[in-house]
Amino acid sequence: MAQPDHTPPQVCPNCDGHASVAVTLGGRDHTGALRTITAHCPACHGTGHRSTRRPHRTVTA
């Protein structure tokens, strides 16, 4: 019987695994909390790992 492949996913080369960050917009809201937004790595879509999906190919005869 073949052993299952349990290799860990590779780290995204664009964000080095830090896929989501909180960016301060400056200033504070009416409750005194910092105004922030969350930004995700566009290459890995916030996962921190390199995609293992293969690109779709169309085969024509």
Side-chain angles (χ1 to χ4, degrees):
M1 240 164 59
Q3 293 292 327
D5 185 19
H6 292 292
T7 57
Q10 293 181 344
V11 175
C12 175
N14 295 314
C15 65
D16 290 329
H18 300 283
S20 298
V21 295
V23 180
T24 303
L25 297 174
R28 297 184 180 267
D29 65 9
H30 66 283
T31 63
L34 284 174
R35 295 178 15 194
T36 61
I37 59 171
T38 303
H40 301 289
C41 173
C44 66
H45 304 286
T47 63
H49 299 104
R50 181 180 293 187
S51 175
T52 57
R53 295 187 314 171
R54 295 183 181 141
H56 177 73
R57 295 184 185 175
T58 303
V59 178
T60 57

